[in-house]
Amino acid sequence: MSLLEAKGLFFDYRGRGVLQGVDLVLQPGEWLALLGPNGAGKSTLLRLMAGLLRPGAGEVRLGAARLERWSSWQRGQQVAFLPQNGHYPEDLTVEEIVGLGRTPHLGLLGRAGKADWEAVEWAMQQTQVSRLRHRLLPTLSGGERQRALLARALAARPQFLLLDEPTSHLDLHHQADFIDLLAGLRGQGIGVLTVLHDPNLAAQADRVAFLHQGRIMAVGSPLEVLQESLLQGVYGPGVQVRRLEGRPVVLLGG
């Protein structure tokens, strides 16, 4: 079983130590939520694990090999990354946008074959955007747009899916739909790593990792990580944690 693993990652940006010795493992078929305050290094860690940045020290491994040993094409077939604020062509239909996700699988001529269109159709079905296939991206609602862009990432049929703040522009209804979608992907063996700010969304993940000042402060089940002592030490004494049906619920007190 292949793992996507960060080992001893260090990363500096303009002389500032963004990450300092980070270890993190993403397993196939699990949802790992990455929490932490602004500036903790969450997005940087995600980009390092996607192979879009190179660490100053340490390594990211995909299976038995360092990620940098994989070509960009091979890496794109295994690890898909959805940024928080990506720029996409506004004059393409949803189906064409999703088709861009097959780029790592296309040959030098860039011609899509039967397997590519089957993957596009599968990705649109998974994200429930098939009925939107002929719509242009600017005509979509926030929730529809997020699902269409997720379908683009899924079209690569990756083993690992890295999502940076995937619910930041979604209302509660669409957040619930998105969580249900993640559950279905995990059931198909896809490992999902999401950067989140909301600990109550993270409480629904299989595991939670808490990043603060460039270091992993805790990693484990939501009950193990979402502790008052940790959260109050970072966010202040107004944070309270309760349990509801076996899950932690984080509240802001007076």
Side-chain angles (χ1 to χ4, degrees):
M1 179 177 66
S2 296
L3 303 174
L4 182 61
E5 184 175 10
K7 302 180 69 174
L9 290 187
F10 286 80
F11 187 83
D12 291 349
Y13 179 69
R14 294 181 177 179
R16 182 175 70 90
V18 179
L19 296 176
Q20 304 179 55
V22 169
D23 296 323
L24 194 64
V25 177
L26 178 61
Q27 305 176 43
E30 78 159 343
W31 174 19
L32 173 59
L34 182 60
L35 282 177
N38 290 334
K42 302 184 299 298
S43 295
T44 298
L45 176 55
L46 216 65
R47 289 179 176 274
L48 285 163
M49 294 186 72
L52 302 176
L53 296 174
R54 285 202 176 185
E59 62 181 14
V60 177
R61 301 189 71 87
L62 177 57
R66 292 171 67 113
L67 192 60
E68 61 195 49
R69 299 285 180 88
W70 295 68
S71 71
S72 60
W73 299 93
Q74 293 171 322
R75 189 172 64 239
Q77 294 171 16
Q78 298 293 320
V79 182
F81 172 67
L82 181 60
Q84 182 180 359
N85 294 306
H87 298 286
Y88 302 90
E90 299 290 331
D91 59 345
L92 298 183
T93 65
V94 167
E95 186 174 47
E96 290 169 332
I97 287 287
V98 178
L100 293 176
R102 292 301 296 173
T103 300
H105 293 269
L106 301 182
L108 292 177
L109 297 179
R111 294 178 179 174
K114 180 181 178 182
D116 299 300
W117 290 117
E118 287 177 348
V120 168
E121 194 64 38
W122 170 82
M124 290 194 297
Q125 289 176 359
Q126 293 296 309
T127 55
Q128 301 179 4
V129 296
S130 297
R131 63 183 176 81
L132 306 174
R133 68 176 68 239
H134 301 304
R135 294 266 301 275
L136 295 177
L137 207 58
T139 69
L140 304 181
S141 69
E144 291 169 341
R145 181 186 178 95
Q146 193 71 347
R147 283 188 282 126
L149 297 179
L150 177 60
R152 177 186 181 276
L154 282 176
R157 298 301 297 260
Q159 185 176 3
F160 298 102
L161 186 61
L162 311 183
L163 309 175
D164 194 356
E165 295 281 359
T167 61
S168 60
H169 302 297
L170 302 182
D171 59 26
L172 290 177
H173 171 73
H174 287 109
Q175 286 183 11
D177 287 345
F178 202 85
I179 298 305
D180 289 341
L181 173 58
L182 292 186
L185 297 178
R186 290 144 63 201
Q188 299 183 54
I190 298 175
V192 182
L193 174 59
T194 56
V195 167
L196 295 173
H197 273 296
D198 187 344
N200 290 315
L201 282 178
Q204 302 179 61
D206 299 307
R207 290 192 301 136
V208 177
F210 195 94
L211 187 67
H212 182 46
Q213 296 180 342
R215 300 180 184 275
I216 296 290
M217 306 297 291
V219 61
S221 71
L223 281 173
E224 292 171 329
V225 175
L226 298 176
Q227 299 281 335
E228 275 192 0
S229 57
L230 173 62
L231 298 180
Q232 288 181 355
V234 175
Y235 298 112
V239 178
Q240 301 176 10
V241 179
R242 301 290 183 265
R243 288 194 184 188
L244 179 64
E245 297 181 351
R247 291 186 182 274
V249 176
V250 179
L251 306 171
L252 291 178

